[in-house]
Amino acid sequence: MSEPLTSSLLGLDREEITALVSEAGEPGYRAKQIMDAVYRQRVETLEEISTLPQGFRERLGQGGVTVGAARIEKKFVSVDGTVRYLIGFADGQSVEAVWMPEGDGGEAGDGSDAGEEAEDSSLGTSGAKARSEKDEPIAALKRCATQKPATQKPATQKPATQNLATQDRATQKPGRSTICISSQVGCAVDCQFCLTALLGVKRNLSAGEIVGQVCAVLKDQKVSPPEDRINLVFMGMGEPFLNYENFVKAARLLVECVGIAERRMTVSTAGIVPRIRDFGGEAIRPKLAISLNASNDALRTRLMPVNKKWTLEMLMAAAREFPLRTREWITFEYVLLGEVNDTAENAREVAELLRGLRCKVNLIALNPGPGIDFTTPSAERVTAFQNILRGTGIPAFVRRPRGRDIYAACGQLKRTVEVATSPEHRLQTISLSPPEG
């Protein structure tokens, strides 16, 4: 697959920037100045790196070196505060990234600090903290799943009558904002319920283009890790494990250079089994999420053609062999499609598949879009599915849809410029492209 030729600073690690500085005959400390400017100050041009001598900046430019900053072409702002970014690159290709100021609860129950924050704020349909059908807190379900007793801290319940939107604002705090980024232009996995699949795949993103999305969003939102705690998910356009080397390098740069803790990152895969095994051995490793979406091979092959190559048996074997760290849980994502994969029998089959695994499940009611021939299940069917999983001791959470009105929710990223125009959705669209002429 083709990849962009690049001479950009964004995407280079400390060793590569040090080599660049050395070849230019500059002192070694220039490498730190460049890295701080590119990854922490998030400059967009060489001229902005004021700590470098003018002559050095000119030589870099004459040599074809650029910062390589991502360009925000359009912004779509949802009624819930979510922002969808259309981000362009030098070759004219573009991807999407999403800013969720309150997250979507996807980290809840995964054992990380971010997961504990999401779990503390997770809400049931009544507005109260999510609990099992037996009125057990999630912590109890997690103990049941692993059969390891633990001391539980008393939970403070929110009033069940409190309005959900009001409660979200009341519990807003640093550390819950989430950025969702892309790893490819388009996607080759062809999940039948995902809008991105309709694009096909154009090319892989470079490590710099992956990191560049994060830098562009952080700059636009005026936040800066590690001072501001940000959660990051590789769940945008593309399959990260089909762009493995660039994804792994980007994750390392985001930890070492941008300042986002690896326990605040999650990567989702459709089930590229060999790469799941490779991923377990990485020194810097975001949390693992596996997109499951079906309870048996026949159904999963219909919904996710990747299952023809890596079956559920192969996928579950890789998951069971995955070397989990202390307090780490694998997340399984399950998009619920009305009358397709959301029956009680499906839920029982999922529970059997995951039996004995240190894992939790994120349930996602289908986010609709043009060209997708499935329907969103009712809230009652979602709750019934969740309760069956919880009844078997599997922590199960319902991801809150964010930015559905601007095609920013899970499965909706398709570089859509024409967004929903229904009267109840008064969308704010901001174009940042330069005027023509």
Side-chain angles (χ1 to χ4, degrees):
M1 182 182 299
S2 63
E3 297 192 25
L5 297 175
T6 179
S7 56
S8 67
L9 296 174
L10 194 61
L12 300 183
D13 59 25
R14 187 179 304 276
E15 182 178 310
E16 291 167 327
I17 291 180
T18 298
L20 178 69
V21 166
S22 177
E23 290 172 7
E26 293 288 332
Y29 63 81
R30 298 291 184 209
K32 185 178 186 305
Q33 292 174 329
I34 292 175
M35 294 192 70
D36 285 345
V38 171
Y39 292 109
R40 295 301 175 95
Q41 300 171 35
R42 292 178 274 282
V43 301
E44 297 180 8
T45 66
L46 291 175
E47 284 304 308
E48 294 177 77
I49 312 180
S50 57
T51 52
L52 297 183
Q54 180 68 29
F56 185 25
R57 282 178 277 166
E58 290 176 353
R59 294 201 307 277
L60 287 173
Q62 291 166 1
V65 175
T66 65
V67 171
R71 182 179 71 257
I72 297 175
E73 295 183 344
K74 286 184 181 293
K75 287 171 59 176
F76 302 90
V77 183
S78 169
V79 293
D80 66 18
T82 298
V83 182
R84 177 167 64 93
Y85 293 90
L86 184 66
I87 295 180
F89 302 114
D91 65 349
Q93 295 289 353
S94 61
V95 296
E96 292 183 318
V98 178
W99 166 264
M100 293 173 279
E102 280 291 289
D104 62 0
E107 298 86 3
D110 66 12
S112 67
D113 294 339
E116 289 181 358
E117 290 165 1
E119 191 173 322
D120 286 343
S121 61
S122 62
L123 305 172
T125 55
S126 67
K129 183 173 289 188
R131 301 173 74 83
S132 74
E133 60 181 341
K134 299 177 181 178
D135 200 37
E136 298 171 316
I138 293 302
L141 288 173
K142 291 171 70 175
R143 289 203 307 275
C144 177
T146 57
Q147 300 297 310
K148 293 181 180 179
T151 302
Q152 180 190 337
K153 297 179 181 179
T156 302
Q157 292 242 18
K158 301 284 194 306
T161 56
Q162 188 175 0
N163 178 269
L164 182 60
T166 302
Q167 190 174 50
D168 268 354
R169 290 192 294 271
T171 58
Q172 184 172 359
K173 60 182 180 179
R176 288 185 58 194
S177 298
T178 298
I179 302 174
C180 176
I181 59 173
S182 299
S183 57
Q184 295 178 305
V185 180
C187 187
V189 176
D190 197 26
C191 298
Q192 299 299 293
F193 47 83
C194 181
L195 277 174
T196 309
L198 301 178
L199 293 173
V201 63
K202 307 300 182 183
R203 66 169 174 85
N204 287 331
L205 297 185
S206 68
E209 289 172 327
I210 296 172
V211 175
Q213 297 169 70
V214 180
C215 290
V217 173
L218 290 175
K219 186 170 184 176
D220 186 67
Q221 293 294 330
K222 298 178 174 58
V223 294
S224 186
E227 294 79 14
D228 298 308
R229 292 179 298 174
I230 299 296
N231 302 323
L232 181 68
V233 294
F234 294 84
M235 298 184 184
M237 298 168 65
E239 164 57 61
F241 283 5
L242 291 180
N243 185 18
Y244 187 77
E245 288 79 11
N246 288 331
F247 151 69
V248 168
K249 183 178 183 181
R252 179 162 52 86
L253 290 170
L254 288 163
V255 172
E256 296 178 348
C257 304
V258 178
I260 300 176
E262 67 181 302
R263 286 181 67 83
R264 288 188 171 274
M265 298 184 194
T266 304
V267 60
S268 176
T269 177
I272 313 302
V273 168
R275 289 309 195 187
I276 291 175
R277 295 197 168 95
D278 292 341
F279 186 56
E282 296 294 341
I284 291 179
R285 193 186 80 202
K287 297 168 293 184
L288 176 65
I290 295 174
S291 191
L292 185 60
N293 305 317
S295 59
N296 57 68
D297 274 319
L299 182 56
R300 193 166 193 266
T301 298
R302 171 189 164 195
L303 299 177
M304 302 177 68
V306 69
N307 198 70
K308 295 176 184 176
K309 187 168 186 178
W310 294 296
T311 64
L312 275 175
E313 181 180 2
M314 299 166 69
L315 179 60
M316 299 314 299
R320 293 181 188 282
E321 295 165 5
F322 194 76
L324 293 171
R325 296 165 291 206
T326 303
R327 297 176 62 223
E328 184 178 15
W329 293 58
I330 294 178
T331 296
F332 284 90
E333 299 164 310
Y334 197 98
V335 177
L336 291 162
L337 312 173
E339 307 290 340
V340 175
N341 66 349
D342 63 342
T343 68
E345 180 61 24
N346 291 136
R348 287 189 286 269
E349 287 179 344
V350 169
E352 186 61 31
L353 279 174
L354 305 185
R355 183 186 299 277
L357 264 171
R358 200 163 86 200
C359 69
K360 61 102 169 186
V361 175
N362 276 348
L363 299 174
I364 306 164
L366 174 71
N367 295 303
I372 301 300
D373 296 327
F374 297 101
T375 61
T376 304
S378 67
E380 291 76 17
R381 290 180 74 89
V382 173
T383 299
F385 199 102
Q386 180 185 33
N387 285 338
I388 290 173
L389 294 181
R390 287 182 172 179
T392 66
I394 297 174
F397 300 82
V398 178
R399 286 245 308 259
R400 291 170 289 174
R402 294 297 193 191
R404 183 182 279 177
D405 57 331
I406 56 167
Y407 295 117
C410 178
Q412 289 188 317
L413 300 186
K414 187 178 171 284
R415 299 186 296 190
T416 305
V417 175
E418 300 82 9
V419 295
T421 56
S422 57
E424 64 270 22
H425 293 147
R426 299 298 182 186
L427 306 182
Q428 178 183 3
T429 304
I430 305 172
S431 175
L432 297 184
S433 301
E436 295 182 359

PDB file of all heavy atoms in Angstrom, residues 206-218:
ATOM      1  N   SER A 206       1.269   7.982   7.893  1.00  0.00           N
ATOM      2  CA  SER A 206       2.593   7.911   8.512  1.00  0.00           C
ATOM      3  C   SER A 206       2.447   8.135  10.009  1.00  0.00           C
ATOM      4  O   SER A 206       1.404   8.598  10.500  1.00  0.00           O
ATOM      5  CB  SER A 206       3.510   8.974   7.919  1.00  0.00           C
ATOM      6  OG  SER A 206       3.067  10.274   8.304  1.00  0.00           O
ATOM      7  N   ALA A 207       3.493   7.813  10.763  1.00  0.00           N
ATOM      8  CA  ALA A 207       3.471   8.072  12.204  1.00  0.00           C
ATOM      9  C   ALA A 207       3.246   9.555  12.469  1.00  0.00           C
ATOM     10  O   ALA A 207       2.505   9.939  13.382  1.00  0.00           O
ATOM     11  CB  ALA A 207       4.774   7.600  12.845  1.00  0.00           C
ATOM     12  N   GLY A 208       3.868  10.406  11.658  1.00  0.00           N
ATOM     13  CA  GLY A 208       3.702  11.846  11.825  1.00  0.00           C
ATOM     14  C   GLY A 208       2.285  12.306  11.570  1.00  0.00           C
ATOM     15  O   GLY A 208       1.776  13.204  12.241  1.00  0.00           O
ATOM     16  N   GLU A 209       1.612  11.696  10.590  1.00  0.00           N
ATOM     17  CA  GLU A 209       0.231  12.071  10.300  1.00  0.00           C
ATOM     18  C   GLU A 209      -0.713  11.607  11.400  1.00  0.00           C
ATOM     19  O   GLU A 209      -1.717  12.259  11.690  1.00  0.00           O
ATOM     20  CB  GLU A 209      -0.189  11.482   8.952  1.00  0.00           C
ATOM     21  CG  GLU A 209       0.487  12.165   7.768  1.00  0.00           C
ATOM     22  CD  GLU A 209       0.226  11.471   6.454  1.00  0.00           C
ATOM     23  OE1 GLU A 209       0.090  10.237   6.436  1.00  0.00           O
ATOM     24  OE2 GLU A 209       0.161  12.175   5.422  1.00  0.00           O
ATOM     25  N   ILE A 210      -0.400  10.482  12.022  1.00  0.00           N
ATOM     26  CA  ILE A 210      -1.215  10.017  13.144  1.00  0.00           C
ATOM     27  C   ILE A 210      -1.042  10.953  14.335  1.00  0.00           C
ATOM     28  O   ILE A 210      -2.022  11.442  14.919  1.00  0.00           O
ATOM     29  CB  ILE A 210      -0.840   8.572  13.531  1.00  0.00           C
ATOM     30  CG1 ILE A 210      -1.158   7.615  12.373  1.00  0.00           C
ATOM     31  CG2 ILE A 210      -1.578   8.145  14.792  1.00  0.00           C
ATOM     32  CD1 ILE A 210      -0.654   6.194  12.575  1.00  0.00           C
ATOM     33  N   VAL A 211       0.210  11.244  14.683  1.00  0.00           N
ATOM     34  CA  VAL A 211       0.483  12.159  15.795  1.00  0.00           C
ATOM     35  C   VAL A 211      -0.032  13.558  15.464  1.00  0.00           C
ATOM     36  O   VAL A 211      -0.528  14.278  16.338  1.00  0.00           O
ATOM     37  CB  VAL A 211       1.987  12.189  16.109  1.00  0.00           C
ATOM     38  CG1 VAL A 211       2.300  13.225  17.194  1.00  0.00           C
ATOM     39  CG2 VAL A 211       2.466  10.820  16.559  1.00  0.00           C
ATOM     40  N   GLY A 212       0.065  13.949  14.198  1.00  0.00           N
ATOM     41  CA  GLY A 212      -0.361  15.281  13.789  1.00  0.00           C
ATOM     42  C   GLY A 212      -1.819  15.558  14.065  1.00  0.00           C
ATOM     43  O   GLY A 212      -2.210  16.696  14.369  1.00  0.00           O
ATOM     44  N   GLN A 213      -2.667  14.529  13.964  1.00  0.00           N
ATOM     45  CA  GLN A 213      -4.089  14.714  14.293  1.00  0.00           C
ATOM     46  C   GLN A 213      -4.243  15.138  15.749  1.00  0.00           C
ATOM     47  O   GLN A 213      -5.010  16.049  16.072  1.00  0.00           O
ATOM     48  CB  GLN A 213      -4.856  13.415  14.074  1.00  0.00           C
ATOM     49  CG  GLN A 213      -4.892  12.909  12.652  1.00  0.00           C
ATOM     50  CD  GLN A 213      -5.437  11.494  12.600  1.00  0.00           C
ATOM     51  OE1 GLN A 213      -6.620  11.257  12.839  1.00  0.00           O
ATOM     52  NE2 GLN A 213      -4.568  10.537  12.308  1.00  0.00           N
ATOM     53  N   VAL A 214      -3.500  14.450  16.623  1.00  0.00           N
ATOM     54  CA  VAL A 214      -3.578  14.756  18.054  1.00  0.00           C
ATOM     55  C   VAL A 214      -3.094  16.175  18.315  1.00  0.00           C
ATOM     56  O   VAL A 214      -3.740  16.943  19.036  1.00  0.00           O
ATOM     57  CB  VAL A 214      -2.756  13.747  18.869  1.00  0.00           C
ATOM     58  CG1 VAL A 214      -2.833  14.068  20.364  1.00  0.00           C
ATOM     59  CG2 VAL A 214      -3.233  12.323  18.599  1.00  0.00           C
ATOM     60  N   CYS A 215      -1.957  16.530  17.727  1.00  0.00           N
ATOM     61  CA  CYS A 215      -1.405  17.871  17.945  1.00  0.00           C
ATOM     62  C   CYS A 215      -2.361  18.950  17.455  1.00  0.00           C
ATOM     63  O   CYS A 215      -2.541  19.983  18.112  1.00  0.00           O
ATOM     64  CB  CYS A 215      -0.055  17.991  17.233  1.00  0.00           C
ATOM     65  SG  CYS A 215       1.265  17.009  17.973  1.00  0.00           S
ATOM     66  N   ALA A 216      -3.002  18.717  16.312  1.00  0.00           N
ATOM     67  CA  ALA A 216      -3.938  19.706  15.761  1.00  0.00           C
ATOM     68  C   ALA A 216      -5.139  19.892  16.681  1.00  0.00           C
ATOM     69  O   ALA A 216      -5.578  21.020  16.935  1.00  0.00           O
ATOM     70  CB  ALA A 216      -4.389  19.282  14.364  1.00  0.00           C
ATOM     71  N   VAL A 217      -5.682  18.798  17.191  1.00  0.00           N
ATOM     72  CA  VAL A 217      -6.852  18.889  18.067  1.00  0.00           C
ATOM     73  C   VAL A 217      -6.476  19.532  19.403  1.00  0.00           C
ATOM     74  O   VAL A 217      -7.210  20.386  19.922  1.00  0.00           O
ATOM     75  CB  VAL A 217      -7.473  17.495  18.283  1.00  0.00           C
ATOM     76  CG1 VAL A 217      -8.583  17.559  19.325  1.00  0.00           C
ATOM     77  CG2 VAL A 217      -8.015  16.946  16.967  1.00  0.00           C
ATOM     78  N   LEU A 218      -5.338  19.122  19.975  1.00  0.00           N
ATOM     79  CA  LEU A 218      -4.901  19.715  21.239  1.00  0.00           C
ATOM     80  C   LEU A 218      -4.727  21.228  21.096  1.00  0.00           C
ATOM     81  O   LEU A 218      -5.145  21.997  21.970  1.00  0.00           O
ATOM     82  CB  LEU A 218      -3.587  19.089  21.685  1.00  0.00           C
ATOM     83  CG  LEU A 218      -3.619  17.638  22.154  1.00  0.00           C
ATOM     84  CD1 LEU A 218      -2.205  17.145  22.441  1.00  0.00           C
ATOM     85  CD2 LEU A 218      -4.505  17.468  23.384  1.00  0.00           C
TER      86      LEU A 218
END
